[in-house]
Amino acid sequence: MAEQETPETEYRAGFVAVVGRPNVGKSTLINRLVGQKIAITSPKPQTTRVNQLGILTLPGAQMVFVDTPGIHEPAHALGRQMVGQARESLKDADLVLALFDASRPPNDEDRAVADAVRSVTAPRVLGLNKSDLLGSESVHAALDAYQSIGRWDEAVTFSATTGNGVDTLIEVLTRWLPENAPFYPEDEVTQTNARDIAAELIREQVLRHTHEEVPHAVAVVVEDYKERPDGHLYVSANIYVERDSQKGIIIGRGAEMLKAIGSAARQEIEAMEDAPVYLDLHVKVRKDWRKKEPNLQKGG
């Protein structure tokens, strides 16, 4: 009697739009999921400016995460572009992960996220991040509060910082993925090129080192990114600000601030490329670029 063949399990793959208000941990989560830093993080809100792709490939599934700018009330052309990108990502998603901060009650921005997600036809998963900051009873209360502001197919609590509950999140997302062949090779973790990631890593260090009046007035454009004969990677980048006073803050007395930013950014780029880096930074003023040139943060 011939052996009966065991049917193969269907492979699942799809694009997962990760949306939420600023500073709920979208980039931190995606970096943890793909096991590599592809998106910058910062305690300051509105850190992510462009959609980033993070790819997680499992034995039976592939998730392509789209890390979107935070949904907020925009105050300038750059802000409107950022929110537009986040909302646009919902249209083509196979699955939506709406991220919220468990440590805070829902606010108007959270409700705007829930309203934006409500109308999509793709499955909607509520992700309650930062659960490590609360006790179990408080987590349940927070989950009830966030479930009440939208329509969800499933909900998960977890901590992107500690990793607690992230495996459960992956299991939930996998269940809701459509049946598809993988879109990318299994060893690929992002479609964002190294040059653009380097620009973001430099901007991250500006965010971390400078005062409140500077961060969102900063754009970074990498002008040169090439390997030298000695094996060093040469990276030349312009840091753009809107006012002379901001330029002075970034450079600092005796150029100490710029040296600190450059040193930290160089270490991040070296870790990404696994090669020694010579980083050449220049600070330039381009007045009111966020109002006049919102594409500047993408090198436009």
Side-chain angles (χ1 to χ4, degrees):
M1 182 175 177
E3 290 186 9
Q4 186 175 357
E5 291 186 4
T6 303
E8 292 185 4
T9 303
E10 291 289 348
Y11 198 91
R12 295 181 178 274
F15 287 77
V16 183
V18 184
V19 296
R21 65 172 171 80
N23 212 28
V24 294
K26 297 185 296 295
S27 298
T28 300
L29 175 62
I30 291 179
N31 288 341
R32 175 173 287 278
L33 287 168
V34 304
Q36 180 177 320
K37 187 169 186 176
I38 64 164
I40 68 171
T41 61
S42 167
K44 300 178 177 69
Q46 301 170 33
T47 299
T48 301
R49 288 182 177 169
V50 295
N51 292 348
Q52 302 258 26
L53 291 185
I55 305 163
L56 172 62
T57 302
L58 305 169
Q62 184 179 82
M63 302 175 205
V64 185
F65 294 98
V66 184
D67 179 19
T68 64
I71 293 178
H72 62 283
E73 189 61 37
H76 42 64
L78 173 61
R80 288 191 293 274
Q81 183 186 72
M82 290 161 61
V83 173
Q85 288 173 346
R87 293 183 181 276
E88 193 68 24
S89 71
L90 295 172
K91 296 180 181 179
D92 300 321
D94 297 298
L95 174 60
V96 175
L97 173 60
L99 215 57
F100 300 99
D101 181 347
S103 68
R104 298 183 178 184
N107 62 15
D108 289 342
E109 288 182 337
D110 292 314
R111 293 183 182 91
V113 172
D115 287 343
V117 171
R118 189 187 302 269
S119 61
V120 303
T121 57
R124 302 171 297 272
V125 174
L126 184 161
L128 197 58
N129 189 23
K130 306 187 184 183
S131 63
D132 57 306
L133 302 179
L134 301 174
S136 58
E137 290 187 9
S138 297
V139 170
H140 288 305
L143 186 58
D144 288 342
Y146 279 100
Q147 283 180 314
S148 70
I149 67 173
R151 294 170 54 191
W152 315 105
D153 293 292
E154 198 160 350
V156 190
T157 62
F158 60 91
S159 169
T161 300
T162 68
N164 185 43
V166 171
D167 286 345
T168 301
L169 174 65
I170 292 173
E171 292 172 6
V172 169
L173 296 177
T174 300
R175 285 202 301 270
W176 288 102
L177 286 174
E179 293 180 357
N180 273 322
F183 297 100
Y184 299 101
E186 64 178 23
D187 59 347
E188 202 160 324
V189 296
T190 183
Q191 278 288 289
T192 307
N193 65 48
R195 184 188 188 111
D196 291 339
I197 295 177
E200 286 290 271
L201 292 175
I202 296 165
R203 187 167 67 89
E204 177 182 44
Q205 294 308 320
V206 176
L207 292 176
R208 291 184 178 277
H209 282 80
T210 58
H211 300 293
E212 290 297 327
E213 67 267 32
V214 172
H216 301 304
V218 169
V220 176
V221 177
V222 172
E223 299 289 347
D224 214 350
Y225 197 91
K226 61 187 179 185
E227 185 177 350
R228 287 179 163 175
D230 61 2
H232 283 67
L233 180 67
Y234 174 73
V235 181
S236 174
N238 292 333
I239 300 173
Y240 289 101
V241 292
E242 295 184 311
R243 300 193 298 273
D244 287 328
S245 59
Q246 295 165 346
K247 178 178 179 179
I249 291 171
I250 290 178
I251 294 175
R253 181 174 297 177
E256 287 302 315
M257 178 63 76
L258 187 60
K259 290 176 183 176
I261 291 169
S263 176
R266 177 181 53 76
Q267 292 176 46
E268 293 282 357
I269 299 170
E270 286 180 339
M272 175 182 71
E273 291 284 15
D274 194 23
V277 171
Y278 179 82
L279 181 59
D280 187 18
L281 295 180
H282 304 272
V283 186
K284 298 185 177 184
V285 176
R286 192 167 290 186
K287 186 174 174 59
D288 295 331
W289 71 262
R290 284 180 293 176
K291 296 178 181 178
K292 300 174 183 176
E293 303 174 82
N295 282 317
L296 183 61
Q297 89 283 359
K298 296 188 294 184

